[in-house]
Amino acid sequence: MQRIVTDRYLPPDHAAFVAAEPPTGRLIVIAPTRAACETIEIALGLHIPTLLEKQHGREIRDLAGAGKGFGIVAGTGTGKTLSIRPMAETILRTDTLKVGVVNREREATPETPTWNVIVVTTGIARRWFQDGDILPTDTLVVDEIHQTSAELELCLALGKRVGCRFIWLSATVDPTFYARYLNAAAVLETSAFDPAKAADVKIVRKEPLTFLDDRFLQQVVKERRGVGMFLPTRAGVEEAAELVRDRFPRINSAFYHGGEPIRIIRPFLEGEEKKPYFLAMTAAGQSALNVHGLDTVVIDDTRFSNIIERGKNVLTRLHLGANEILQMAGRVHGRVAGGRVFILSDRDIHFRSLQPTAPEFQLAGDSERVAMTCADLGVRADELELPVPLDRVAYRKAVTLLEQRGIIENGRLSRYGKAVEAMPVDRPWAELLVNADDELVPYLAVMSSIESLHRMTREDRDLSGVTVPGSDHLTSYNLYAEAFSRCGYIGEVYGLPRHLFDESIEKWAEQRGVLVKAIEDAALATASIYRSLGMELPARMVNARDHIYRKFTQLLAQYMPFDLVIDELTADGTEARVSKTSVAGTWGAIAGSLRYFADRSGIPRAAIEGTQIPMELIRRYATRGETELIYDPRRKHGPLLLKQTVEYFGFELDSEIETIEEFPAAHAGQARHVLAEAVARGEARHFAVKKNRDTIEEIREAYKRSGGETGRLGLAELTALYEEQLAGVNSMDEFRAARLMVDREKFAPRAVSERLEALPNQVMIRDREVDIDYDVEERDGHRRGVARLRLPEKVARSLTEGEIPRLDRPVRFVVLRGQRGAVRADTLAELQNLLAQPWSPDEIEESAEDREMESHAEREVRRIAGEFRRHRRGRYRGGASQFKKRRRGR
């Protein structure tokens, strides 16, 4: 039975909340994190003079009072957050602010309608928009708008749709986009930069650990410096801090990243840590921290960012952008006398010339979130003015998936979809929680609250006694259960029950190699899930054993909301390795989260961690696919086959194949179409394939030379022509005897062909004959002929516009590079720019009939390049059904 889910973060009484809207509207402050919510709440109760108030205080009040949207771009230490109070007092026309916070650990309450200032995280704000709790009269204050996320970007689009006014606060970025997108009347810029305190900035070509040599560390001790090193990974942060601690015990060394609670570096934030000190931090972890006494910054010019590549979120190693470098260096540059900045990079960086750039948006990679939001609101995605163009292909795939899962019906969230949407966890886990029985809820609640076993533990970890072989999910649950059993108790935070932990958790975590913050975050999320389900938080956590593993895998097999890999292949045949840190086996079915990352060559790779599912369960919940007719050219006798498949969430587990000689009445039309297409492709064993080949090539060449004036004979047209001639054919014998003709005169009369044959086939460039490939372009519904010069690469790189011959139609360019593929361009400048890149562009997705219309030379290069790429990437080809062959070959 489907569970009833309550969204505890929405105002309990929507009508009462809307009715209590003050005449001025409310001030809704959107913050990027829970911690930021708490900081803003404190700032709203303070009256402290700030640099921003001194420079722009009157302008802020005037703009706020005039009902205009505006932005503030200000560096660290200028008082951005403290400026929210005078804005609120001006907009609400009162100095009596009733402030409330709604975030992961603080629910909306019956008192929520009385608040005139409400601070929410981005995810909560998005839910309020969907429920209609944010009104056009409200003013949205977006704090730290430069910290982009899919949720924040959706909030911006939803706020524009509602018609709210925006006031936004940002660190160092180019504000041009925000000013235009959010219709800002003004952008106020403030900096605490003091030219007299400009830092000494050096670019060093060293790796981080190599840079931390004796010479540098001795200087830190001698000059009693406070050093902050910013690194991209938590492993790098821990390794750097350990190196300094081991080699120079006199330096107070510590580290901080997203997996650690903030309390471990509290002395650095409160000025209690004495110099010399060394604090290693991840770039993300340091963004909102003010470290006292910091006078030296070391920046590793590396970041890992998700790049959308063909609908996949690929984790890619990149250099830092100008914004990140300026923000990190700004911790000391212009703020501290004698400040020093070291940028560890393999590129030449002119620090003084760096300028803030536009933000990098994340929404393009979360099409499913957009699809669910639009379905909840009952709007089309193109009705939302998103800050980045929507990936329409990925969006359509997301909608199709959600429709197949019963979450979206007729463009709206179904009853089931609303229950899933109301759960405070990701959609796959929400589906399991909505469908699970009570016995599994404790396990699911914890597992859904942990990002992954890999992110929960350090490289040097001890999982003895808690490992559930075959399941990273249940192993992570067991770690949490042991932590709670040994160090935990039930307490209250903000009046809500939660699992809490005593001081012994630090020692336990050290022994196990577990991140304390992962345990604490899981406790917070688990409590949130139990409140949404209306269940009492468990006072005892029992380790997961075989019985729970069987129940969990059965639930997974029945609903399968996760990514699925069988024998290290996805449903589309892509190779996906099991993560090295996984406790699941290599073979069989694994349900979990696929993550894509770029290897050293920039090639996307996939890895998965999750839970192994027995194949008997997979087969139990498999379904029969549609019966289809296929033509297999490899079979000399009986190539026409009737195929019935057994499928499971995109995988073809098995198939029954029957050779067809006499066409079944129900499939006769389909059989004729399949055979006609096989002849058109040149795959069928029929005399017409060889007999008509030259005629077909001549017709196609005439079409391209005429610029589309003569009849087109692509794959679709040729298939239709043959299918018409096969009318009445009802067996393979009749098919083999059928006369399939292609009338050249019907498509390209002889007089026209002779005129077209007179067109030149080559032109002379630099005393070399250059072939001309004639083609037809179809753009914006218009068709026109072009001439594509097939240039040698050496000539193409140095060719000038004056050397391009004039022809009777626009000139295009192509360079055939063998294994590296072909490079096409409309202009010479574009061609030379593409040739200057270290690789050729990926193959353009083209239909089969588009490829049929290519020249023979281009088809051959495409074949060679494709084979080379497959060999280089080591990718196993053959589709999802081929995992059976790999299993047999073990």
Side-chain angles (χ1 to χ4, degrees):
M1 184 179 70
Q2 185 177 307
R3 293 180 178 276
I4 297 175
V5 182
T6 304
D7 193 333
R8 301 287 181 178
Y9 303 109
L10 297 175
D13 187 337
H14 169 71
F17 181 79
V18 172
E21 175 88 350
T24 59
R26 295 185 175 94
L27 198 75
I28 310 292
V29 185
I30 301 176
T33 63
R34 291 196 324 272
C37 288
E38 312 302 327
T39 302
I40 293 167
E41 184 182 28
I42 293 170
L44 284 163
L46 300 176
H47 291 274
I48 299 175
T50 65
L51 180 63
L52 182 60
E53 171 67 23
K54 179 180 177 182
Q55 293 184 355
H56 297 292
R58 181 174 294 278
E59 292 173 84
I60 290 172
R61 288 176 175 80
D62 289 345
L63 288 165
K68 295 179 180 179
F70 61 96
I72 296 175
V73 177
T76 302
T78 56
K80 290 194 304 294
T81 303
L82 290 168
S83 71
I84 297 176
R85 180 182 180 93
M87 293 179 203
E89 291 175 340
T90 304
I91 292 168
L92 300 173
R93 303 186 203 130
T94 179
D95 57 3
T96 305
L97 302 182
K98 297 179 180 178
V99 182
V101 172
V102 181
N103 57 23
R104 193 67 178 267
E105 58 189 348
R106 298 169 71 173
E107 296 177 354
T109 69
E111 287 72 42
T112 300
T114 66
W115 302 341
N116 54 13
V117 180
I118 305 174
V119 186
V120 293
T121 52
T122 53
I124 304 293
R126 191 252 310 155
R127 292 183 180 201
W128 281 36
F129 277 118
Q130 291 176 211
D131 195 52
D133 294 317
I134 297 179
L135 307 179
T137 51
D138 293 331
T139 299
L140 300 180
V141 176
V142 185
D143 191 28
E144 305 289 352
I145 199 172
H146 60 281
Q147 292 190 27
T148 56
S149 69
E151 294 280 24
L152 173 59
E153 291 151 32
L154 262 176
C155 286
L156 299 181
L158 294 172
K160 286 174 69 70
R161 177 176 178 269
V162 170
C164 298
R165 167 170 56 143
F166 282 93
I167 299 172
W168 43 276
L169 316 177
S170 176
T172 308
V173 294
D174 180 349
T176 306
F177 172 82
Y178 288 128
R180 175 182 56 79
Y181 179 69
L182 300 177
N183 194 29
V187 176
L188 310 179
E189 298 192 49
T190 291
S191 172
F193 181 79
D194 181 351
K197 295 180 179 179
D200 177 20
V201 181
K202 292 184 179 178
I203 313 301
V204 183
R205 293 181 180 272
K206 287 185 178 180
E207 295 296 317
L209 297 185
T210 307
F211 175 79
L212 297 173
D213 55 18
D214 289 350
R215 180 180 178 184
F216 173 75
L217 295 177
Q218 286 169 357
Q219 193 174 34
V220 170
V221 173
K222 180 179 179 181
E223 299 178 8
R224 300 188 61 79
R225 287 196 165 266
V227 181
M229 175 177 262
F230 302 136
L231 299 162
T233 66
R234 70 184 194 192
V237 161
E238 294 181 14
E239 195 173 9
E242 185 178 359
L243 181 146
V244 174
R245 186 184 302 113
D246 290 345
R247 291 172 56 185
F248 278 77
R250 293 173 58 190
I251 299 177
N252 300 320
S253 181
F255 63 85
Y256 176 71
H257 52 66
E260 298 292 336
I262 193 70
R263 61 176 176 270
I264 70 170
I265 60 166
R266 186 70 64 188
F268 292 90
L269 304 180
E270 296 177 353
E272 299 174 3
E273 199 67 50
K274 304 299 182 185
K275 293 183 178 182
Y277 67 69
F278 175 85
L279 180 58
M281 295 178 282
T282 53
Q286 61 80 32
S287 61
L289 303 180
N290 286 316
V291 180
H292 287 264
L294 191 68
D295 56 32
T296 303
V297 166
V298 183
I299 303 169
D300 181 11
D301 183 26
T302 305
R303 64 186 171 110
F304 290 90
S305 181
N306 287 317
I307 293 178
I308 310 306
E309 186 168 325
R310 297 187 179 182
K312 297 182 177 70
N313 249 323
V314 182
L315 187 65
T316 307
R317 181 178 179 134
L318 303 169
H319 285 117
L320 292 175
N323 292 345
E324 291 94 345
I325 294 176
L326 290 171
Q327 288 165 18
M328 293 178 197
R331 298 285 169 182
V332 299
H333 182 50
R335 296 180 62 193
V336 179
R340 304 187 70 185
V341 175
F342 298 92
I343 303 175
L344 312 183
S345 181
D346 59 358
R347 57 178 177 155
D348 293 326
I349 298 174
H350 302 283
F351 180 79
R352 304 294 177 187
S353 63
L354 288 180
Q355 294 294 323
T357 61
E360 294 182 5
F361 294 106
Q362 309 294 317
L363 187 59
D366 202 349
S367 299
E368 187 176 295
R369 178 71 270 156
V370 177
M372 291 188 70
T373 300
C374 290
D376 195 18
L377 291 168
V379 301
R380 300 194 314 270
D382 56 11
E383 292 178 11
L384 294 180
E385 191 181 340
L386 297 167
V388 285
L390 184 66
D391 184 339
R392 298 190 180 279
V393 174
Y395 174 75
R396 285 194 294 270
K397 288 181 179 178
V399 171
T400 300
L401 172 66
L402 296 172
E403 287 174 340
Q404 291 171 345
R405 302 202 64 82
I407 291 173
I408 292 179
E409 291 179 356
N410 301 318
R412 297 300 301 266
L413 285 184
S414 63
R415 181 181 176 187
Y416 175 62
K418 286 186 176 294
V420 169
E421 170 71 353
M423 288 297 301
V425 293
D426 291 337
R427 189 267 306 164
W429 287 108
E431 288 198 62
L432 294 180
L433 281 160
V434 167
N435 290 290
D437 62 23
D438 287 355
E439 184 181 19
L440 275 180
V441 167
Y443 304 91
L444 293 171
V446 171
M447 290 186 292
S448 65
S449 303
I450 296 170
E451 185 177 354
S452 68
L453 179 63
H454 168 69
R455 299 286 295 175
M456 184 186 195
T457 56
R458 293 189 166 90
E459 290 186 19
D460 184 16
R461 66 188 187 185
D462 176 15
L463 300 181
S464 58
V466 296
T467 301
V468 178
S471 180
D472 300 311
H473 296 131
L474 289 170
T475 299
S476 64
Y477 164 83
N478 278 352
L479 281 171
Y480 180 89
E482 183 178 280
F484 180 71
S485 299
R486 295 189 181 184
C487 316
Y489 60 95
I490 289 185
E492 285 192 358
V493 179
Y494 294 108
L496 301 173
R498 191 197 301 179
H499 288 162
L500 299 175
F501 301 88
D502 57 35
E503 294 179 356
S504 64
I505 188 69
E506 301 280 357
K507 183 177 180 181
W508 173 87
E510 185 67 28
Q511 292 171 342
R512 280 291 190 188
V514 174
L515 299 175
V516 175
K517 192 169 186 295
I519 296 292
E520 293 177 341
D521 286 349
L524 170 60
T526 298
S528 175
I529 291 165
Y530 268 89
R531 292 198 299 275
S532 295
L533 295 175
M535 298 174 67
E536 187 175 340
L537 197 63
R540 182 169 172 265
M541 305 295 288
V542 180
N543 272 21
R545 299 300 179 198
D546 292 347
H547 165 64
I548 295 300
Y549 177 78
R550 287 193 295 272
K551 286 198 69 171
F552 178 48
T553 53
Q554 182 171 339
L555 184 70
L556 280 178
Q558 184 176 357
Y559 294 99
M560 192 47 62
F562 294 121
D563 297 321
L564 179 64
V565 167
I566 300 182
D567 289 349
E568 297 195 318
L569 288 176
T570 64
D572 63 2
T574 302
E575 187 176 281
R577 302 277 183 179
V578 177
S579 296
K580 293 179 180 179
T581 54
S582 174
V583 299
T586 304
W587 297 100
I590 298 179
S593 298
L594 267 176
R595 289 182 172 84
Y596 295 89
F597 59 93
D599 64 14
R600 293 182 179 179
S601 301
I603 299 171
R605 303 287 188 186
I608 193 168
E609 63 176 54
T611 295
Q612 270 183 297
I613 303 176
M615 286 305 296
E616 56 266 25
L617 281 178
I618 296 290
R619 293 187 179 278
R620 180 190 302 178
Y621 293 103
T623 57
R624 284 197 170 273
E626 293 183 3
T627 301
E628 63 173 336
L629 280 169
I630 59 173
Y631 186 92
D632 187 350
R634 296 168 299 181
R635 295 169 62 104
K636 185 174 182 179
H637 303 291
L640 186 63
L641 307 170
L642 188 66
K643 183 178 180 182
Q644 172 75 63
T645 60
V646 177
E647 299 177 352
Y648 181 80
F649 289 94
F651 282 86
E652 182 184 306
L653 301 180
D654 210 345
S655 62
E656 298 172 1
I657 295 178
E658 177 186 352
T659 301
I660 298 298
E661 286 296 331
E662 300 290 334
F663 301 166
H667 300 287
Q670 184 185 358
R672 288 189 282 269
H673 176 79
V674 168
L675 291 171
E677 187 173 62
V679 178
R681 290 181 182 277
E683 297 173 347
R685 296 178 183 274
H686 195 285
F687 68 88
V689 171
K690 184 177 181 180
K691 181 179 180 181
N692 296 335
R693 182 178 296 138
D694 291 343
T695 302
I696 292 169
E697 287 295 329
E698 290 170 4
I699 292 171
R700 288 174 174 170
E701 183 64 19
Y703 171 79
K704 291 187 283 188
R705 283 175 173 258
S706 70
E709 292 179 11
T710 62
R712 176 184 170 93
L713 191 59
L715 179 63
E717 292 83 7
L718 186 56
T719 299
L721 178 65
Y722 285 149
E723 190 173 356
E724 182 181 348
Q725 298 177 47
L726 288 174
V729 170
N730 289 296
S731 70
M732 288 300 293
D733 286 341
E734 293 178 10
F735 163 69
R736 295 184 187 100
R739 295 187 62 192
L740 302 178
M741 308 294 293
V742 178
D743 185 357
R744 174 175 171 173
E745 288 293 317
K746 180 180 177 181
F747 289 89
R750 183 168 299 279
V752 176
S753 297
E754 290 175 354
R755 173 172 58 82
L756 296 174
E757 287 172 2
L759 293 173
N761 295 317
Q762 291 98 18
V763 292
M764 296 297 295
I765 297 179
R766 295 185 181 175
D767 299 325
R768 297 183 65 167
E769 288 188 347
V770 173
D771 291 331
I772 303 173
D773 292 331
Y774 292 95
D775 206 349
V776 178
E777 285 183 347
E778 294 188 29
R779 296 182 181 176
D780 302 324
H782 298 288
R783 182 184 299 170
R784 67 173 175 176
V786 297
R788 186 169 282 109
L789 301 184
R790 201 191 309 165
L791 294 168
E793 184 168 350
K794 186 175 181 180
V795 173
R797 287 180 178 274
S798 58
L799 194 66
T800 63
E801 291 286 350
E803 295 176 283
I804 300 172
R806 293 189 176 277
L807 300 175
D808 65 338
R809 62 196 71 195
V811 175
R812 302 288 185 257
F813 306 93
V814 62
V815 172
L816 307 183
R817 309 175 89 179
Q819 293 178 342
R820 299 176 68 191
V823 178
R824 292 189 186 194
D826 289 352
T827 66
L828 184 60
E830 180 188 358
L831 178 70
Q832 292 173 342
N833 180 56
L834 290 172
L835 292 174
Q837 302 300 319
W839 56 82
S840 297
D842 286 342
E843 255 187 301
I844 300 171
E845 294 292 337
E846 293 177 327
S847 66
E849 58 183 278
D850 287 332
R851 291 194 292 272
E852 287 294 326
M853 300 298 287
E854 288 178 348
S855 68
H856 174 75
E858 285 198 74
R859 286 203 299 270
E860 185 65 14
V861 166
R862 179 188 288 275
R863 183 187 65 78
I864 293 170
E867 290 180 359
F868 175 72
R869 272 192 294 271
R870 286 193 291 274
H871 174 74
R872 183 183 63 181
R873 298 181 185 182
R875 179 169 295 176
Y876 184 84
R877 307 292 287 181
S881 64
Q882 297 300 316
F883 76 88
K884 298 193 295 296
K885 296 181 181 178
R886 292 185 63 179
R887 288 177 63 83
R888 296 189 197 109
R890 274 188 284 175

